[in-house]
Amino acid sequence: MEAELRLSQKLEAIGQLTAGIAHEINTPMQYIGDNAQFLTSAFVDLCDGLLRTKRLCLQLGGEQDTADLLRCIFEELDIEYLLEQAPNALKGTLEGVGRVTTIVRALKDFAHPDQREKTSCDINSVLETALIVARNEYKYVAEVETAFGELPLVFCHVGEISQVFLNLLVNAGHAIGEVVGSGGGKGLIRIQTARSESSVTIKITDSGCGIPPEMQDRIFEPFFTTKAPGKGTGQGLAIARSIVVDKHRGTLTFQSRVGHGTTFTICLPCRGAPSPIQYPHAGSQLPSRRLGETESPDSPLAADEAAKWNLAARFDS
Amino acid sequence: VNPVAGVQYPTILFVDDDPLVLEGLTRTLRREPYDVLTAASAKAALAILSTVRVAVVVSDEQMPGGSGAELLERVRETNPDTVRIIMTGKTDLRETMRLIQEGAFYRFLGKPMQDEDLKRTLRQALQMQRLNDASARLSM
């Protein structure tokens, strides 16, 4: 109980800190992006002009010395190479801007500092966010495969549910790391979501080391850990269980075979019939497959509204 | 005024305390049919607004010496025909959304925005301004 309280205070502090940092990062990202975009188009224009100048110069007659000098300059400039490479370099920079922006948004989604009440949320997009945040813990050891089913919105504490996913993903990464070591091989983390009449099921499967039978009864105990000292606090699964079972009246179960891997299954109750999902806050993060299934805006006004939401969603993080 | 064609372009005013942001935005719009002006503070922005006919003002949210929301509130009174857009790197947008609902400004742009988002938003803002002008003329 005390550990839980400490954790929730800590999460809140991290959330506030994250919101502040996100704001600070977003401002320079604005002009890094603007400038890279400007330089890209300016560079292409400039090279185009130079290339035409070069052709003209080489056609010109006149003094032999001047012609040689010009030829020399153009050779040194190697406009063709620059024109081929520089836009790529700038394109890479813009991609970097996009990546940083995504990470900042995911961090903030994850931290949700002021979210004390339950809200309706799209579990699939919460999982996508958790995957981005946890990426560092698994990217060298595991590939990720997702099979997201169409889900109704789930009424939950989104910050806490994110925490559960994060804990399970980090554990999955560590369990696979035990098997593949630093040999460069990769395991697999598979995430599936599905719905039933009154609940949503999330399965997180890893191809890791598995949990020995003698430990299986204890993994949800606070302070129980199999990780090396300093690597785990033994709180992760205890807190995950408490969030899922006590706070959301769901279930958290697992199946594990040593040497084969583990599947954790979370079941969260959702109210009544699956509702048609509207995604006001998920926006561009969603795979188009699911966007296609929502009502398509057909009047210009609706399209405008959708564009506004989309814009809002991109930064409502 | 476009010196070549002699056409009067609509004026866009950007307000941000970070000069690098202003430079970046100005460069982004270099080929767009706008006259771009910039101001580094709310005070400087109001000075410009009192002398130049500005079609759209795009202001940052957080600035020393007066928030963007306060500035746009003033503009709403002093220059009611100017379309107001807020720009913010903040991640919690509940307050911003509330102000939009109240009509404090027309749109918001989140930092960082892609140049296409900026251009599209400005086009829409100008379209709205033209509609406002037309309806004002009709009701005269």
Side-chain angles (χ1 to χ4, degrees), chain B residues 6-139:
Chain B
V7 182
Q8 179 84 47
Y9 282 155
T11 302
I12 316 282
L13 172 63
F14 287 104
V15 192
D16 197 306
D17 59 308
D18 190 333
L20 290 172
V21 170
L22 294 174
E23 281 175 23
L25 292 168
T26 307
R27 283 195 284 259
T28 299
L29 296 180
R30 76 185 168 121
R31 292 237 166 112
E32 298 296 303
Y34 310 128
D35 275 338
V36 176
L37 298 178
T38 62
S41 68
K43 207 176 146 199
L46 288 168
I48 291 173
L49 282 155
S50 68
T51 54
V52 182
R53 186 181 143 80
V54 174
V56 183
V57 60
V58 183
S59 174
D60 187 36
E61 165 67 72
Q62 287 186 337
M63 290 181 294
S67 78
E70 282 163 17
L71 168 66
L72 294 184
E73 196 57 51
R74 278 286 298 279
V75 176
R76 190 185 193 176
E77 289 161 19
T78 57
N79 303 55
D81 296 338
T82 301
V83 180
R84 303 169 305 276
I85 294 175
I86 196 96
M87 182 166 60
T88 177
K90 260 199 327 205
T91 48
D92 184 349
L93 293 173
R94 277 171 291 189
E95 177 65 9
T96 310
M97 296 312 269
R98 191 184 64 76
L99 288 167
I100 288 181
Q101 298 290 333
E102 284 180 5
F105 28 81
Y106 169 61
R107 284 285 166 88
F108 88 90
L109 286 164
K111 285 180 185 172
M113 70 200 86
Q114 294 196 356
D115 59 351
E116 266 318 306
D117 287 336
L118 173 66
K119 289 173 189 170
R120 185 180 349 105
T121 303
L122 288 177
R123 278 197 300 273
Q124 289 169 345
L126 286 166
Q127 201 172 12
M128 195 185 86
Q129 209 233 5
R130 279 193 290 273
L131 285 172
N132 284 351
D133 278 359
S135 81
R137 275 199 304 276
L138 283 173
S139 62

Side-chain angles (χ1 to χ4, degrees), chain A residues 101-118:
Chain A
T101 309
T102 312
I103 293 166
V104 169
R105 191 193 310 139
L107 269 177
K108 179 55 182 43
D109 273 358
F110 180 74
H112 271 280
D114 305 319
Q115 208 104 52
R116 291 188 169 276
E117 286 156 26
K118 286 189 181 179

